[in-house]
Amino acid sequence: DRLRQHVSYLASDALEGRRTGSPGANDAAHYIAGEFSRLGLRPATQIARAPKTRGEALSRFLQRFPYVAGVQLGKSNQLSFTRPASDVSINLVVGEEWMPLGFSANAQIASAPATFVGYGITASELKYDDYAGASISGGIALALSGTPDGDNPHGQFARYEDVRWKTIAARNAGAKALIVIAREDAFKEDRLSRLRYENSAGGAGLPVAAISRTAAARLLNLNAHQLSELENDIRRVSLYKITPPPGWTPEKESFTLPSPGYSLSISTAVVLQEVAASNVVGILEGSDPTLKSEALLIGAHYDHLGRGGEGSLAPREGDIHHGADDNASGVAGVLELARIFTAPRPRPRRTIMFIAFSGEEEGLLGSNYYVNHPIVPLTNTVAMINMDMIGRMKNKNLIIGGIGTAQEWRSMMDVANLLQGVTVIANGVPAQAASGSQNAFPLVVASNGRTVVSSDAAKQFQLTLNDDGYGPSDHSSFYAKQIPVLFFWTGTHDDYHKPSDTADKINYEDEARVLTFVARIVRDIDAGAKRLTYTVAKSESTGRSTGFRVYLGTIPNYADSNNGLLLDGVREDSPASKAGLKAGDRVVKMAGHDVRNVYDYTYALGEMKAGQEYELELMRGNERLKLKITPAPRK
């Protein structure tokens, strides 16, 4: 019932999907802080004087970190066309006929030539390049939205759908700016007309804007119908270039790409809206005078996807993404474990920190901030237990990651799972009657023949144990700092990252059983006189398909961008480790491509071939190094 209460509130319409930095996320943070306070946990921030208000008292549980909630238009956004040898300019109205994109650089470009480049895609693995033969250096690239695959998510061009890839291709070709033609006839209905910002991606490095179809047709000296026909021709020929039909050659096509009859001037100004996001931290101080200096962290992220957009798998935006399983279920678990361990005696010997992270959905932002600004020194942190999506168990299947990060984990899991089925019978009754199952058998029998302890295998979980300490959740930030981790989840489902992930679908009974299991693990860690033995886990990432043909074994830091790709870690025995890369390195160039952020990095990765040696440049502290790396084939 307590779990249901927590999940029902956190996943309610009132919190509007808990997007990081939003009022709903702030309300969720204060709810969690209120529960921590009610349970008597110590807040993260300590000051001498007593708080004057409840709000001030709750704010002490918050560890704030910087976050860009969005972007807005600045004062100097202009886009105009000018015919050659003419002083007459056509000025477009921002917000109605054009819009800078949220990741655009702020810059001014005057009277630059424009070149139409079809879809603006460069894909070496497909031997396809819309910039081939185009003279774009120093000019402005004009490209269609989307790809030749249209709406097919499984097409050959699928990974180039995001305008970020067009931006990188334009920058590599030497363009000063990129303008993308909207897909929708009504510009305000096009997704590119709405300002967005992705915290984990950084800036574009050049001005990028969307333009209405009407304005684009005018720029190309076409009418609306001719623009649509041109788009159809380009789509057909682009697909034919990749998979030619029998007897087809490019020479058979009669159309040519139009040349804009104007020069363009563009000024972009987007303003970042910075707000404070928060982790919520409650501390239960240990009872042992010596061991209380060591801390065990129990965490879950409380943010979700708001009303959709980036990260959503819903067909349209605007609907509340409730995030009951992802991850109100994990937060409810943290709150319930906090209640269990603050109960009277015996209190844990070590300090336990209960943390609800924000910013997980956008690149582990909150947990990354914590490990770089820890409340308890990381050297005193014995382990981190992360719960993410623990509310939809089926057939007793429980997945636990991070087993390879400490020598003791595997045996702990085996014992804890065995004990899931153990029942102690006070009055001595038959094992089957005590457990309510015909599968129970006696473990301990009294002298009178009555069962004292029984075991029921039917109550045990079907465990899937994964060694890897890295993964798509907050434990990854801690493992990158060489802290043993465990990651509990009950698997994905059809409601993942959709509005339909609602509180009524949570399996509360089995979630309670999962928490009993986790609590047993916590007690086992606390009972040990010695700390867990950290180990480097076997990588299990190479079996997962990412759309790339090659594998390097790097762990990017998604919370840091714009001046190279910071690495949180490097997988053991990977091409990256063999090349000499280390955690903390910042990749600035790879395979001949400048790297500013994770998009630049993955673009370069897509250009690489297995078994071929490439040069990679990185910053290690203040030193710029050049290394040689040979990608392995993706399995």
Side-chain angles (χ1 to χ4, degrees):
D1 289 342
R2 281 187 289 265
L3 293 174
R4 183 178 285 107
Q5 174 186 326
H6 294 318
V7 173
S8 296
Y9 174 69
L10 292 170
S12 66
D13 286 354
L15 298 194
E16 295 191 288
R18 311 185 306 277
R19 175 72 80 171
T20 301
S22 70
N26 294 336
D27 287 345
H30 282 90
Y31 174 83
I32 298 163
E35 291 298 301
F36 284 171
S37 177
R38 186 178 62 80
L39 293 170
L41 296 179
R42 177 165 62 83
T45 304
Q46 294 290 298
I47 58 176
R49 66 171 180 82
K52 296 180 180 180
T53 64
R54 174 174 168 77
E56 183 183 346
L58 295 185
S59 70
R60 296 184 182 183
F61 288 92
L62 306 183
Q63 182 192 40
R64 302 188 187 278
F65 61 88
Y67 175 76
V68 178
V71 291
Q72 60 187 14
L73 292 176
K75 295 181 179 180
S76 57
N77 287 287
Q78 295 181 333
L79 177 59
S80 62
F81 306 161
T82 304
R83 283 193 181 279
S86 171
D87 294 331
V88 179
S89 294
I90 301 171
N91 294 305
L92 301 185
V93 179
V94 67
E96 296 183 11
E97 297 175 290
W98 79 285
M99 178 70 80
L101 300 193
F103 63 92
S104 172
N106 291 335
Q108 292 183 343
I109 300 172
S111 301
T115 302
F116 182 56
V117 291
Y119 283 101
I121 293 173
T122 300
S124 62
E125 74 275 20
L126 299 176
K127 298 181 179 178
Y128 179 92
D129 186 3
D130 281 323
Y131 286 89
S135 178
I136 192 68
S137 182
I140 296 175
L142 179 67
L144 296 166
S145 293
T147 76
D149 291 321
D151 295 327
N152 180 8
H154 306 294
Q156 297 178 88
F157 290 93
R159 83 176 186 89
Y160 296 96
E161 170 69 26
D162 196 309
V163 72
R164 286 272 185 177
W165 307 121
K166 299 178 189 290
T167 300
I168 296 169
R171 201 173 70 221
N172 289 343
K176 283 188 175 181
L178 170 67
I179 297 177
V180 181
I181 301 172
R183 186 177 300 177
E184 302 293 335
D185 290 330
F187 183 63
K188 290 187 176 181
E189 294 179 5
D190 197 279
R191 62 185 180 84
L192 294 181
S193 71
R194 295 184 286 276
L195 281 172
R196 304 176 183 279
Y197 187 82
E198 187 179 347
N199 276 269
S200 63
L206 77 170
V208 184
I211 189 174
S212 73
R213 294 182 69 82
T214 301
R218 189 174 184 180
L219 176 61
L220 294 170
N221 295 311
L222 303 173
N223 58 40
H225 176 73
Q226 290 171 325
L227 178 60
S228 296
E229 287 296 312
L230 174 65
E231 194 167 9
N232 290 335
D233 287 336
I234 294 173
R235 178 181 295 115
R236 184 185 71 256
V237 172
S238 297
L239 293 174
Y240 283 178
K241 286 179 180 178
I242 304 303
T243 310
W248 183 85
T249 61
E251 291 75 19
K252 291 187 177 182
E253 298 297 334
S254 58
F255 81 95
T256 57
L257 294 182
S259 177
Y262 300 84
S263 63
L264 271 65
S265 296
I266 185 171
S267 174
T268 51
V270 292
V271 181
L272 302 183
Q273 297 172 295
E274 296 186 358
V275 300
S278 303
N279 297 323
V280 191
V281 184
I283 303 171
L284 176 62
E285 189 170 289
S287 60
D288 186 281
T290 301
L291 292 179
K292 70 179 182 180
S293 64
E294 298 179 0
L296 169 65
L297 273 61
I298 301 175
H301 75 91
Y302 69 89
D303 63 301
H304 196 52
L305 301 178
R307 290 183 174 270
E310 189 68 34
S312 171
L313 298 178
R316 63 189 179 90
E317 287 186 57
D319 294 332
I320 294 172
H321 286 52
H322 297 90
D325 190 29
D326 186 15
N327 184 34
S329 66
V331 175
V334 169
L335 295 175
E336 183 61 2
L337 288 171
R339 183 194 66 80
I340 290 170
F341 285 104
T342 53
R345 306 294 173 258
R347 291 185 65 119
R349 301 189 302 164
R350 291 176 170 85
T351 295
I352 300 182
M353 298 183 64
F354 301 92
I355 307 183
F357 299 105
S358 192
E360 189 271 354
E361 298 286 7
E362 299 181 58
L364 316 184
L365 303 181
S367 59
N368 184 275
Y369 184 84
Y370 177 86
V371 297
N372 288 293
H373 304 83
I375 293 169
V376 172
L378 296 183
T379 54
N380 291 354
T381 302
V382 299
M384 189 272 179
I385 294 176
N386 182 31
M387 297 177 292
D388 194 346
M389 297 176 63
I390 58 170
R392 296 285 287 270
M393 177 173 280
K394 293 181 180 179
N395 302 320
K396 299 182 291 185
N397 291 321
L398 178 61
I399 305 158
I400 308 176
I403 296 298
T405 66
Q407 287 183 6
E408 299 82 0
W409 281 148
R410 194 170 294 272
S411 60
M412 276 189 183
M413 299 307 115
D414 292 340
V415 172
N417 199 31
L418 177 65
L419 293 176
Q420 281 291 116
V422 169
T423 302
V424 178
I425 305 103
N427 298 319
V429 297
Q432 291 83 0
S435 69
S437 170
Q438 296 300 313
N439 297 318
F441 65 93
L443 287 179
V444 179
V445 180
S447 58
N448 62 4
R450 290 289 186 174
T451 300
V452 178
V453 181
S454 69
S455 178
D456 183 358
K459 291 185 177 180
Q460 297 177 17
F461 294 119
Q462 298 294 321
L463 297 182
T464 300
L465 304 180
N466 296 325
D467 283 345
D468 207 342
Y470 289 116
S473 193
D474 291 307
H475 61 284
S476 192
S477 298
F478 290 83
Y479 179 57
K481 299 294 185 179
Q482 299 186 335
I483 294 171
V485 298
L486 286 177
F487 172 40
F488 289 87
W489 71 304
T490 54
T492 191
H493 43 76
D494 289 341
D495 300 305
Y496 174 70
H497 279 199
K498 296 177 183 176
S500 53
D501 180 11
T502 50
D504 59 298
K505 296 177 181 176
I506 299 298
N507 178 350
Y508 294 101
E509 290 77 12
D510 277 337
E511 178 172 348
R513 295 180 63 232
V514 171
L515 295 175
T516 301
F517 186 98
V518 175
R520 186 171 285 118
I521 296 298
V522 172
R523 291 192 180 99
D524 285 349
I525 298 170
D526 189 54
K530 296 182 178 179
R531 292 176 57 162
L532 297 167
T533 308
Y534 168 81
T535 56
V536 177
K538 176 184 176 182
S539 171
E540 298 178 358
S541 69
T542 57
R544 294 195 295 267
S545 174
T546 59
F548 296 108
R549 301 164 298 169
V550 299
Y551 163 72
L552 297 184
T554 54
I555 309 298
N557 181 319
Y558 293 99
D560 186 280
S561 56
N562 282 333
N563 57 347
L565 181 77
L566 180 65
L567 299 182
D568 270 347
V570 174
R571 295 186 185 275
E572 188 79 358
D573 199 32
S574 66
S577 67
K578 293 175 182 177
L581 275 75
K582 301 178 181 179
D585 287 345
R586 188 180 296 275
V587 179
V588 295
K589 194 166 188 175
M590 188 168 73
H593 297 287
D594 290 332
V595 174
R596 297 167 52 88
N597 51 50
V598 70
Y599 277 94
D600 292 341
Y601 179 80
T602 51
Y603 186 93
L605 189 64
E607 301 281 293
M608 300 170 84
K609 297 179 181 179
Q612 182 173 324
E613 186 179 75
Y614 295 90
E615 187 173 81
L616 180 148
E617 296 184 30
L618 59 87
M619 296 299 299
R620 182 172 292 166
N622 294 323
E623 186 180 8
R624 191 178 183 109
L625 303 177
K626 292 184 179 181
L627 303 177
K628 301 292 185 180
I629 190 167
T630 303
R634 173 73 60 176
K635 296 181 181 178

